[in-house]
Amino acid sequence: MAVMKKEYIERIYAGWMAKIIGIRLGAPVEGWTYEQIKEIYGAPDGYTVDFREFAADDDSNGPFFFLHGLEDGKKWEHMEAQDVGDALLNYAPYEKGFFWWGGYGISTEHTAYLNLRNGIKAPLSGSIELNGAATAEQIGGQIFIDTWGLVAPGNPDLAARLAAKAASVTHGGNGISGGIFIAVCISCAFVETDIRKIIEKGLSYIPADCEYAVVVRKVMDFYDLYPDCWENCYRFIRDNHGYDKYPGACHIIPNIAVMILALLYGEGDFSDTLNICNRCGWDTDCNVGNIATIMGVRGGLSCIDYEKWRKPINDFLIYSSVMGSMNIADVPSGASYMVKLAARLAGEELPPPYDAVIPERLDSCHFEYPGSTHAIRVRMEHLDDRAARNTNACSIENTTESAATGERSLKVVALPVKETEKIYVYKKTYYYPEDFHDNRYSPSFSPLVYPGQTIHGSAYIPQYGQKVGMCLYAKEARSGNICRGPFMYPEKETWITMEYQIPAHMEGLIEEIGFCFCVYGEKTCAEAAAVLVDDLYAGGVPSYIIAFEKEQEEVWTLHHREVSQFTRLKGKSYLQDGQLHLSCCDFGETYTGRHDWKDYTAEFWVTPLVGFHHTVNVRVQGAIRSYAAGFLADGWLGVLKNENGYRCLKRVPYAWKHGEEYRLCVTVKANQISISVNGEQKLAFLDDQNPYLEGAIGLSVQNGSRISCRRIEIS
């Protein structure tokens, strides 16, 4: 079997990193005009806002989660539009977050989502025939499409085919042409550096007489005549193809025009291309995100100024899907998922060192991508309050000095450090509303790591570093307690691999994991404390308790409130009298835990309050894939399977009562499901028809029901 080119792997990361850079650059002025941007910022060169943390964005949500249609649908290169439609239904919360829910017939994605929800299959769901040209030809056909080019490096035929299927779920006409064009340009940029040839390749896959292609050529012709002033080209576009010339809130044609302008007048320079596009205004985060992906793939990581563009991001990335554990991410993990899909589509194996980390530890901190940091942070634990007022110079840097696995690791330097002061090098595994600069696209989270799981990590003291003791740790959010493994005291220039199991069967929310380093043996520290770290990840079976009197309401805005650790598909969820309540008019579901848990037992202390459908969920893979078990109408206890709609797998009579608390226990092992109530087994089922073998947990109600839950135990 052929081996995937390492260059392609790094360019996938470069392209995805560039996409996030473009989104962050354009987000603060999204919807502004050229004139407004010039009035406020002049000629902005780089980020205009120093975000505390940049929240989720539709331009990264869509490209990442729609891509799951490949793996979830299992058709791979033969993927159909409905596979992407199912991904939209599965990962997007119902009419909140994820993207713009502007109303049926106004927001293209909202329109297509409701079509799909009501049984209208793709591609009819996004078509002009059903929705009209004004809705079908808005900008979404191209802004969510980058990843189809990234998973088809140097294979524009495949990129075009996949992009056409994906775009047709929500768009038609020029919307599909735009999706094909962008995906082909990205795929071509893996093997071609000439901007003009990249654009021509994209045009060769769409009808020459479609308005999209015609406008692209008009901009190219203008550039050929007047190559010295991009503002004149902008005025030409504004006067002939501006927003006032097209229907809808955000039409695709004006925006592709300024994207082509930037690609041409940027003259191949990454920063100039992005800045020009951003200064043009209109849908800036979308436009700059698209062209940044092309430019990032074309030039690779070396074309992206690290200090200017990458360092402020620190590989940090947030999504706002219905699966809370998937919403806390980083740029390398997203790139690695695309690399895995690209290798599968091409029938190729991964080269070392990626073959050691991507297949089994997709979201580990492995640092193999040049410059990557995996959103790692550093802080100091000082000896007293006076020391805490001092400024410590802490820095992180991707390095090739040494590595536990592969070729790269992360170098951490701190100065000054006193004896017994502690340096924490960590990954945040949970976030709160106050962590973010804003509330873009309504994210919510479930932790990445849980009590009972085992943390893994490797560390190394270089010859020039101080002597340090080292251990792994986890921080619990409610108490602030730090649980540490035993300190180890290695010799210099020796990699130490450590494991630490977080105490099991405890209440708590793990908000960070990482390394703790403590300088010893010297009373003063004239030199920096320097260490290398590698391969940080957590795994194993969780064992923990959710006691709802300890949970809290997380307030993002007046209209966006979530229960801590939970994401919500639909319905009303809230805390009252130490219990989680969930109610609905039609259906309501809320989830917690990791999307990739396999075999486990989940016990729920639940009380049916109103209505006749009260269930708990296991193996939750999203909004349309899970199992449910619980109390059904007319005195039944049943187990159901959600396959874009629930069907009953098995049920037995059980005379449950409103207002009575039950200990409902569900065990999933391979394809076996067993249910007990109050310690007595009542039902078992073996699912031999495409069983769900992993997933999170949750609660669900239907048809005007309300349930409360006092406690959950996972083991």
Side-chain angles (χ1 to χ4, degrees), residues 70-71 73-79 162 341 344-345:
L70 274 174
E71 189 171 31
K74 299 180 174 60
K75 299 186 185 73
W76 298 102
E77 63 270 23
H78 304 296
M79 182 192 78
L162 296 175
L341 298 183
R344 171 63 174 79
L345 286 167

Side-chain angles (χ1 to χ4, degrees), residues 45-103:
D45 179 11
Y47 302 123
T48 58
V49 174
D50 182 15
F51 289 95
R52 185 167 63 251
E53 294 292 4
F54 185 70
D57 195 280
D58 60 335
D59 294 274
S60 47
N61 285 329
F64 182 72
F65 286 101
F66 295 166
L67 192 61
H68 283 67
L70 274 174
E71 189 171 31
D72 294 347
K74 299 180 174 60
K75 299 186 185 73
W76 298 102
E77 63 270 23
H78 304 296
M79 182 192 78
E80 295 297 331
Q82 187 59 40
D83 295 317
V84 179
D86 288 343
L88 171 55
L89 291 177
N90 195 54
Y91 296 106
Y94 191 98
E95 296 188 307
K96 62 186 180 69
F98 203 81
F99 47 53
W100 177 52
W101 302 91

Side-chain angles (χ1 to χ4, degrees), residues 41 49 96 154 179 185 191 230 298 365 404 417 451 500 562 636 681:
Y41 290 112
V49 174
K96 62 186 180 69
C185 286
V191 295
W230 68 264
R298 171 188 173 272
C365 300
V417 185
Y500 170 62
E562 303 290 349
W636 293 96
Q681 182 162 328

Side-chain angles (χ1 to χ4, degrees), residues 14-15 18-19 21-22 270 274 287-297:
K19 173 76 170 178
I21 290 169
F270 181 87
L274 270 61
N287 297 340
V288 185
N290 277 148
I291 64 164
T293 309
I294 296 170
M295 296 300 292
V297 170

